[in-house]
Amino acid sequence: MADTSGGPVLRVAVAGASGYAGGEVLRLLLAHPEYRAGRLEIGALTGGSNAGTALGSLQPHLLPLADRILTETTPEILAGHDVVFLGLPHGQSAAIAQALPESTVIIDCGADFRLTDAAAWEKYYKSPHAGSWPYGLPELPGGRDRLRGATRIAVPGCYPTVASLALAPAVAAGIIEPTVHVVAVSGTSGAGRKPDVGLLASEVLGSARAYNIAGAHRHTPEIVQNLKAAATNSTENRDFDCAGADIAVSFTPVLAPMPRGILATCTAPVLVDAAQARAVYEKAYADEPFVHLLPEGQLPQTGSVLGSNAVTLQVAVDADAGLLVVIGAIDNLTKGTAGAAVQSMNLALGLDETAGLSTVGVAP
Amino acid sequence: MADTSGGPVLRVAVAGASGYAGGEVLRLLLAHPEYRAGRLEIGALTGGSNAGTALGSLQPHLLPLADRILTETTPEILAGHDVVFLGLPHGQSAAIAQALPESTVIIDCGADFRLTDAAAWEKYYKSPHAGSWPYGLPELPGGRDRLRGATRIAVPGCYPTVASLALAPAVAAGIIEPTVHVVAVSGTSGAGRKPDVGLLASEVLGSARAYNIAGAHRHTPEIVQNLKAAATNSTENRDFDCAGADIAVSFTPVLAPMPRGILATCTAPVLVDAAQARAVYEKAYADEPFVHLLPEGQLPQTGSVLGSNAVTLQVAVDADAGLLVVIGAIDNLTKGTAGAAVQSMNLALGLDETAGLSTVGVAP
Amino acid sequence: MADTSGGPVLRVAVAGASGYAGGEVLRLLLAHPEYRAGRLEIGALTGGSNAGTALGSLQPHLLPLADRILTETTPEILAGHDVVFLGLPHGQSAAIAQALPESTVIIDCGADFRLTDAAAWEKYYKSPHAGSWPYGLPELPGGRDRLRGATRIAVPGCYPTVASLALAPAVAAGIIEPTVHVVAVSGTSGAGRKPDVGLLASEVLGSARAYNIAGAHRHTPEIVQNLKAAATNSTENRDFDCAGADIAVSFTPVLAPMPRGILATCTAPVLVDAAQARAVYEKAYADEPFVHLLPEGQLPQTGSVLGSNAVTLQVAVDADAGLLVVIGAIDNLTKGTAGAAVQSMNLALGLDETAGLSTVGVAP
Amino acid sequence: MADTSGGPVLRVAVAGASGYAGGEVLRLLLAHPEYRAGRLEIGALTGGSNAGTALGSLQPHLLPLADRILTETTPEILAGHDVVFLGLPHGQSAAIAQALPESTVIIDCGADFRLTDAAAWEKYYKSPHAGSWPYGLPELPGGRDRLRGATRIAVPGCYPTVASLALAPAVAAGIIEPTVHVVAVSGTSGAGRKPDVGLLASEVLGSARAYNIAGAHRHTPEIVQNLKAAATNSTENRDFDCAGADIAVSFTPVLAPMPRGILATCTAPVLVDAAQARAVYEKAYADEPFVHLLPEGQLPQTGSVLGSNAVTLQVAVDADAGLLVVIGAIDNLTKGTAGAAVQSMNLALGLDETAGLSTVGVAP
């Protein structure tokens, strides 16, 4: 659209535009008020092995961009953009980032720069640690400050997003003992758009299965990192200090026959009663635009946040078992990936944090 | 949102806000630029047996309206609004319409005022004919003229929307013989939000079934009506005149295990070759903002139009069988219901026809 | 089929034949070798509000019984059968059982006689305790002895079946601390065939949601009961004695968009290493015909046990979190309900325990 | 199992045991009475690129065969078996068949030997015609005679199975004009177990799409062949002779988000009334064990035939449109592939045609 303001136009590139993360970034950008106002321009779209193909045949839901042709993913093509979103396989971001100017806002939807702990990275990713970038989860303590003006941003993993938001208030307030159990049911798009027999519809339809159990999933150390940060950064008076302690996270991902969504069940030994627990969450998220503590008794469901950037939570106490139970729902591609990326971009550029992002899901 | 323009604010009510049609109207209104600009206000939300309940427990995806309480559906409550959307069971619209001023824009998502032929109405709906209102399918010949400034609008049925848009150009151009076969695979939301055992997930998941076959479905006469109108209103030179003839429509709806979407397969004896057929459709929809003839070889899929107001079409000729084959996809709740309703509202009010409506689907 | 043996023919009735449990019992009986040999006859089929309806319109998958007409559910109609399966709403079994002879084998797929603890019953079911019957889970310690020759049998709940089989060996062997977390993802048929808006395909498709969290689900005390029994009945030398302790069970059920299947993730603090844990399970289930510990690294999936009576398990230790992780999969309607019922019938009647039951799933 | 009869044991091999067709053949063989009686032995299981892998990791639903190791697919390995099922990619069957003795019963689930018309083969498969074998659809006129004692059998395609059974009686009786429209909604397993991005769950879930439209699907000439044979072989007095005419078949396959099942909608201009049409079908299938004409008003659904060898049909006349409407449902992997293969084996070997095959589906 024509720029009607006369001001400078922001040029945005998406590397990996043929994947699910890249496609979702584009879906959100097409609805972004800056794009609608002609002040944000969608520039290069790159696609590795799909270079030369029209986007319309790869992402047929992005009709306004159907005629755009994917290019190769090179620093030369990405240069000359103000913002570059990366939706690439792990390990490819560092080289691209180094070749682009410091002033380019690079927002990496991949894992390369999420972990601060090199040992954790090497244990889980079996490769050298590239370093860490400001972490794109504004709702964590200190999150917004890290992101304002940042030019390198690591978008959180989808599971850590919901698990961290579900548990951080309890950790920060010290109302749980630091042994948390997370079982998260995910839609299939979290596994990416790779031709894997185990992800075929025939295999997935009508079936649920766990995978990467017993701490094997790469998102485990990221959850640990976030919860430790929540404890450390907290200024609350806590009955129980878990800042210095090792926070033990049991994480089990479960694949369910749905395309999107994560429903996380989080449990931990609790030190307070239900009303106190609820009060902690009400306070923590009172001013958050995207995190919604549902009314008592109403439970999150992934279908309600489809395509939205909302996180819905419910908090309860199982008095018999002595546990805090927190249920959280997100759309793994929106708040869990591309929504966080756009939210981070907004903060980095000084735009309204919520621009182009909705809390209205597409349901039923 | 606060009205920042100082102009008059449009007050909009939704009757039947707890159903799927009403919920989708609200989803679209929340994204409408007039709402965002504070010039459109969402007023009364009514819900029959759900009166007194918070919308958040019924439509949990509409987080910004979660605290709104549903009221009863009475003319008194609906009075005082500029626009009233009706998402009610068949037979309830006439009484409400009569009790509201002529100047109120009433947009009926139900069937009551769709059919012009009283005999067809009585045959299919087994009740007296209430009359007919301007038909909310702007893409049909003369459609926009009927809707501009209208204060009573009948939103088309979901199946007739896609079947009519898939076949009208061929009928208008006289390139087919007037015997058309439509088999349309639909998601479950088209059946509404009623507690019917046959619509339970347990019954639907993993299963496809036809229903109301052999002309029994109430949308059959609506498709006939639209195709006859397409023939009659056409100014094309046609090789074959089907305007005066009875157009025979074989319509078979099939329920598939998906929440949204209609994929219609339409076939009819063809009088031209593939290139000629394609040219007819290219011309018919060249300037339509929501109807997209896909590039040759690319086929419509409902997943690509989820939540969008787009209609995607592909046209082919089966030379061996001597048939035109048109495939069309829509979201039954958006373009098939609430999107058409909002598009019609825009035309009725003199707003940009596409305001608040997108051609970008939520995929995967 | 004609009885070719000349021996007595077993007459079997199914009360609640229009529901999912009753339908699955009939599916299994039709494949039972005694039925095929003409020595088991399917007698009365009762159906409450569906009395007078042909089974074919209610259970169209049971083609051989399509012409059978459902009757009302009365003791008179059920009398004269050797075996009576009950697939009735909670609270209806006691009256029927009292009216039938002691010698009639009554197998109750409902909850009425599962719990031995009257206080637990009253807390969770808000009604007087009717007593308890031999529990139809042969794989629990002492399970077979209770069932051989029994004439009253309580079929376990679907969740307790998989949770108990997943955890009982660890409890019996004392290799875990008695605080267990169970998050179980279930298909929709577990909720029964009732016209509930929340179970509509439109609501369930594409969405996962937790329900009855924080100990509110009625299957919670049943899991506790089974695990306590496993501890008490164990003759193992245990490092840790949990027999006398209160076993804390955190149970969270999650509804997923699939018609059948339960995938349970069970975690508990572990006292041994992975090899020792695996050895405990190998020993516990070495001779069980239906419980399969999968090879190391292979994870259970519900799709693989569809329609089968198999339970597939995997056991791992999360060394970082200090937890045992057990994943279990069943078909909730087969091993979780009707398969257990037929397995119990086989034991009660002195037939081959596995007769009519398969470990082969229908996949993909 | 041990052979208890003392008679010769039938040795059966399955080539392509890691695919969906091969897996379903094995599922059915495990339930076959000859296998249960120890008179049928499951010999070599071959798996191309999966040679050396345990079947349990590839087909986890076949627990009794979990430890079997797949071998390469060579004539040497397949030699020494009495029956060889082939579930191989197109083009591989001829070489294997030539290398095996004439007396070996070879049952090819692939397409290589289905078409009798070399020109049709070459047009659709772009390769030389290998010839044709007796066609494994016993329910077609003359079908059983062709199969009894046969040692080479071509299993029909899944779509032609249901389309042909839905239309053959009408063609044979001459009650329709020979222009038929078939729109068939299929589950994803019909596309095989190949890692194709378009078959990923993320792409398929929530979406329906047509493919290979306008006569492009390879099953089109097979439907034509079967309907021509039905006309030619018919001894009925027909009002309309379509034997010599070109039968025009419009075939549109539609992919739906379900793992199994085909729901075919078949329409054609009709020459008789509804009662006459129904009488034709009642007569045609009165004695067929697997083809069930449902009671009037009851419509087929694929969920009801899941895992069964049944074909359910409904016949109606759309009087307004002048059309016969036949709806048919099958399980594409059972009656559509492996069930037909086992049924054909039974006939070839002189066993009970229905042995090991059920008309009971797994539902819900």
Side-chain angles (χ1 to χ4, degrees), chain C residues 65 110 143 233 287:
Chain C
L65 301 174
N233 296 339
D287 299 326

Side-chain angles (χ1 to χ4, degrees), chain A residues 20 188-189 193-197 199-205 257-259, chain D residues 20 188-189 193-197 199-205 257-259:
Chain A
Y20 292 149
T188 53
S189 58
R193 200 177 198 177
K194 52 177 181 281
D196 176 332
V197 166
L199 297 173
L200 289 177
S202 299
E203 312 277 320
V204 168
L205 280 157
M258 54 191 197
Chain D
Y20 293 148
T188 52
S189 58
R193 200 178 200 176
K194 50 177 184 283
D196 177 332
V197 165
L199 297 172
L200 289 178
S202 299
E203 311 277 320
V204 168
L205 280 156
M258 54 191 198

Side-chain angles (χ1 to χ4, degrees), chain C residues 141 167-180 223-249 268-271 280-281 324:
Chain C
L167 288 165
V171 170
I175 63 169
I176 56 172
E177 289 180 33
T179 299
V180 301
I223 301 171
V224 171
Q225 173 176 298
N226 290 345
L227 297 186
K228 283 190 179 174
T232 308
N233 296 339
S234 169
T235 58
E236 298 278 327
N237 284 321
R238 278 174 282 136
D239 296 326
F240 182 92
D241 178 31
C242 57
D246 265 342
I247 295 183
V249 171
V270 69
L271 306 170
V280 164
Y281 280 78
L324 182 75

Side-chain angles (χ1 to χ4, degrees), chain C residues 13-41:
Chain C
V14 176
S18 57
Y20 293 147
E24 184 75 350
V25 166
L26 287 169
R27 183 179 77 83
L28 296 173
L29 291 178
L30 287 168
H32 200 285
E34 294 296 303
Y35 176 79
R36 292 167 175 261
R39 292 190 299 268
L40 184 156
E41 191 179 291

Side-chain angles (χ1 to χ4, degrees), chain C residues 22 28 74 96 103 168 184 202 211 234 277-278 281 316 336:
Chain C
L28 296 173
T74 66
I96 288 174
S103 61
S202 298
Y211 66 104
S234 169
R278 186 168 182 88
Y281 280 78

